[in-house]
Amino acid sequence: MTDTVKKKIPLKEGFWKISSEADGKPQLIGSKCKSCGEVFFPKKEKNWCIHCNKTDLEEITLSRKGKIVTFSVVLQQPGGGFYKGDVPYSYGCVKLDDGLIIETLFSADDLDSLKVGMDVELVIEKLYQDEDGNEVETFKFQPLS
Amino acid sequence: MKKLNEMREVMVAGIGLVQWGFYPELEHYDFGSEAVFNALKDADMEWKDMQAAFLGSVYQGTGSGHQVIKEIGQTGIPIVNVENACSSGSSAFRLAYQMVATEIYDIAIAVGMEKMPRGPIPSTAFRPWELQSGFNVQMANYANETVEYMHETGATVEDFARVTVKNRKNGAMNPNARFQKPVTLEEVMASRMVATPLRLFHCCPLADGAAAAILCSKDKLKSLKRSVTVVASVLTSGVYGEGMMMGGTMPSVKYPAEVGIVELSAQQAYELSGYGPEDMDVIQAYDTMASAELWDIEKLGFCKKGEAFKLLRDGVFNIDGKMPVNTDGGLMSRGHPLGATGLGQICEIVNQLRGEAGERQVKGAKIGLAHAMGAGPNSSVTIMKK
């Protein structure tokens, strides 16, 4: 019998993890330079700090919450055919509680309800469904309920 | 290390443009070669006089410049294709300039050309996951930066609409612009929303097009009268800590940049040329989006942050104002063939300095500055004088 249950595939491996330490909630994975203290997201694949150029990076998890710095609601299909998610959609920047600013998609029932300065939290959600019926997931931030 | 301003003087001998527009039946080498023919005619030179060629484009693929020159002649000269996103044309100009300044060649040509893919720019200046996340929508990237700019300065979407109105009014006097009809503030504000808060008419239109410039040493000029001197041609790339969403970079909270990429390129250009922003008679600022023109004017040092929209309202950036900006209509009217844009800006400065800008002419223009920047990020500043 064919297994028809859809698989959930992350957009890219290593962006987030789900562990019991965080009550089973997702956490983004970044890199921290032990030499200069700079933090990067996504985590660096190579052990090289682009700020101080030392080779002393460690893997860390990032705050789950933050505030919206900017956002824009996109009303047309992005060019090139790379993006397969819904349109309209919204993306922008979030400043996490631990101080790092990251670029992210936003998730909201009403995209027009998003506001600069709004408190948001990390979720893992479907980005699109591929030809095989698998769900490609990615990280987004949504307004605190 | 020698500075370019300590080396041989470099002149612009000729410029060539084609009308920018929508040419589904033409290829990039069709309008690219036409721009070259026009530049040769303008410089009163022959193809065999060219000793090196630099051709900028973004989407035209392998040997894009070679395809252009195949329509013109084959003299065995070195041809290098230049891809620097929206600074491709000005980067090609810079390479040609450096070749002549350093006395490697006496005459070199710079060309920029682009046949744009249809629809929103499919920028690949981003990582695959960023592309799949939809982060490559340049209008949305500019919109995000616009949101921040509005918060910091109090500029409104109507202020940005005024930039479009100014540039479209100027474009109506430019026979090479894609759009030669003015638009009203109401029309801009009623155009469809593209990426909040930017509407369609806040965004520059795409276009197919080409432009060319011939650079040479003074002794090779056919006409000193119509020549223009290059006093600075500068290129910078991303500076650590500066946020640049159109380049896919977030700002660093811990280590913010002291001097941004645009400010850095402007400072270098002013230092090399010996001129300051107050000396510029005519300016080409980078108006991919109407809001970007305002912060560009500020970053180039023409006024303080947050002042530009007030000066705009006072008419300071009009052709008859104290600091004329985008006298030929800018990207808003010309359109934006990525590889050609930087050279299109340079051509207008040359027209102005020659006194050949017709009804767009800024009286007594003697020194002009052109600024282009692109995903990378990169920032290029060119200063020329009569």
Side-chain angles (χ1 to χ4, degrees):
Chain A
M1 183 100 131
T2 323
D3 184 357
T4 55
V5 169
K6 284 179 295 198
K7 261 198 320 191
K8 293 196 177 189
I9 306 173
L11 177 64
K12 197 158 158 35
E13 294 290 346
F15 273 14
W16 68 83
K17 65 180 178 188
I18 299 181
S19 71
S20 51
E21 290 150 23
D23 294 331
K25 293 210 178 107
Q27 292 175 293
L28 293 176
I29 302 169
S31 296
K32 181 170 180 165
C33 176
K34 289 191 274 186
S35 207
C36 70
E38 182 62 295
V39 180
F40 305 101
F41 176 79
K43 71 169 192 215
K44 293 291 173 197
E45 296 303 324
K46 298 192 182 71
N47 185 16
W48 175 271
C49 173
I50 54 169
H51 172 246
C52 71
N53 292 176
K54 299 271 190 306
T55 53
D56 206 8
L57 297 180
E58 62 177 348
E59 206 173 277
I60 58 165
T61 52
L62 307 177
S63 305
R64 297 197 58 258
K65 298 191 178 155
K67 287 189 192 302
I68 296 182
V69 176
T70 68
F71 73 96
S72 180
V73 180
V74 184
L75 289 117
Q76 59 183 70
Q77 184 70 31
F82 307 105
Y83 175 78
K84 297 181 178 62
D86 296 330
V87 174
Y89 69 104
S90 178
Y91 74 98
C93 309
V94 164
K95 187 169 185 182
L96 301 175
D97 288 347
D98 54 21
L100 180 67
I101 295 179
I102 66 168
E103 188 168 8
T104 179
L105 289 162
F106 290 108
S107 173
D109 292 326
D110 176 13
L111 294 174
D112 292 324
S113 68
L114 296 170
K115 299 246 176 316
V116 169
M118 200 176 218
D119 289 308
V120 288
E121 66 179 344
L122 174 71
V123 285
I124 305 301
E125 260 189 20
K126 172 180 150 189
L127 177 59
Y128 68 94
Q129 190 168 38
D130 69 18
E131 301 107 18
D132 301 320
N134 300 313
E135 258 189 28
V136 177
E137 292 189 311
T138 191
F139 68 94
K140 300 182 191 179
F141 277 78
Q142 70 181 15
L144 289 183
S145 34
Chain B
M1 196 172 76
K2 277 203 186 152
K3 286 201 175 150
L4 281 166
N5 60 356
E6 293 162 6
M7 300 185 194
R8 180 163 73 165
E9 202 177 20
V10 180
M11 319 300 290
V12 176
I15 53 170
L17 274 168
V18 299
Q19 188 189 352
W20 293 7
F22 182 57
Y23 298 118
E25 72 284 2
L26 294 179
E27 301 301 327
H28 77 275
Y29 45 80
D30 292 317
F31 32 87
S33 52
E34 201 190 317
V36 172
F37 296 140
N38 292 340
L40 289 171
K41 191 157 158 233
D42 190 54
D44 192 21
M45 288 179 174
E46 311 217 6
W47 177 251
K48 62 176 170 62
D49 298 326
M50 303 299 115
Q51 297 166 332
F54 298 93
L55 298 107
S57 74
V58 180
Y59 293 113
Q60 308 314 312
T62 312
S64 54
H66 297 68
Q67 290 294 321
V68 171
I69 290 171
K70 225 170 137 179
E71 298 297 303
I72 300 164
Q74 293 188 293
T75 49
I77 60 169
I79 299 169
V80 179
N81 299 304
V82 181
E83 187 278 301
N84 249 356
C86 312
S87 292
S88 299
S90 36
S91 296
F93 182 91
R94 179 173 171 273
L95 287 166
Y97 161 70
Q98 290 177 329
M99 290 292 140
V100 177
T102 52
E103 300 185 42
I104 293 169
Y105 298 113
D106 294 333
I107 309 177
I109 186 168
V111 187
M113 67 277 176
E114 206 77 56
K115 182 183 168 83
M116 287 299 287
R118 299 303 173 231
I121 297 175
S123 177
T124 50
F126 298 88
R127 305 288 158 93
W129 76 270
E130 291 167 338
L131 293 172
Q132 290 181 279
S133 301
F135 292 169
N136 66 322
V137 182
Q138 293 300 33
M139 292 159 307
N141 291 327
Y142 276 95
N144 267 288
E145 301 217 355
T146 299
V147 166
E148 242 185 324
Y149 183 73
M150 291 167 80
H151 266 84
E152 288 168 350
T153 64
T156 65
V157 284
E158 280 86 8
D159 289 315
F160 307 143
R162 279 189 196 94
V163 173
T164 305
V165 170
K166 168 180 77 71
N167 289 352
R168 287 292 298 262
K169 183 173 173 214
N170 292 346
M173 299 183 273
N174 177 4
N176 286 313
R178 177 167 180 203
F179 290 115
Q180 298 180 27
K181 269 176 50 177
V183 291
T184 64
L185 194 78
E186 292 71 31
E187 282 170 328
V188 178
M189 294 306 294
S191 61
R192 69 173 167 88
M193 193 72 82
V194 167
T196 61
L198 295 178
R199 294 177 179 274
L200 187 65
F201 284 11
H202 285 127
C203 308
C204 69
L206 301 179
D208 301 327
I214 296 171
L215 293 98
C216 69
S217 51
K218 209 163 181 178
D219 58 303
K220 291 286 189 244
L221 285 172
K222 295 294 165 66
S223 162
L224 183 61
K225 186 166 170 287
R226 291 183 74 239
S227 72
V228 149
T229 311
V230 181
V231 292
S233 178
V234 165
L235 181 66
T236 54
S237 60
V239 174
Y240 190 84
E242 182 179 28
M244 187 79 36
M245 277 187 85
M246 51 293 271
T249 317
M250 290 292 106
S252 171
V253 173
K254 208 171 166 63
Y255 296 107
E258 278 176 26
V259 182
I261 182 179
V262 175
E263 293 86 334
L264 185 65
S265 60
Q267 282 170 18
Q268 288 179 7
Y270 296 136
E271 201 196 303
L272 267 173
S273 65
Y275 297 109
E278 66 284 355
D279 297 312
M280 299 303 137
D281 299 318
V282 62
I283 302 154
Q284 283 279 324
Y286 200 59
D287 60 325
T288 24
M289 311 291 147
S291 45
E293 175 169 315
L294 294 179
W295 69 65
D296 203 45
I297 288 168
E298 292 168 357
K299 289 182 182 191
L300 293 168
F302 292 110
C303 64
K304 289 196 180 59
K305 178 153 185 180
E307 267 185 11
F309 72 89
K310 298 170 198 159
L311 297 173
L312 172 73
R313 283 188 206 161
D314 292 339
V316 169
F317 305 135
N318 294 345
I319 287 176
D320 60 0
K322 213 162 151 278
M323 286 191 274
V325 177
N326 294 338
T327 52
D328 62 345
L331 277 74
M332 285 294 166
S333 301
R334 291 189 306 255
H336 189 23
L338 268 54
T341 274
L343 269 166
Q345 294 178 315
I346 285 168
C347 285
E348 175 64 359
I349 299 292
V350 171
N351 275 322
Q352 289 282 350
L353 299 182
R354 282 170 162 177
E356 293 177 7
E359 23 166 14
R360 309 186 309 274
Q361 185 64 51
V362 170
K363 291 191 178 34
K366 288 279 174 288
I367 308 175
L369 177 149
H371 175 238
M373 63 182 298
N378 49 65
S379 178
S380 54
V381 175
T382 311
I383 301 180
M384 293 173 287
K385 71 167 186 185
K386 191 73 190 79

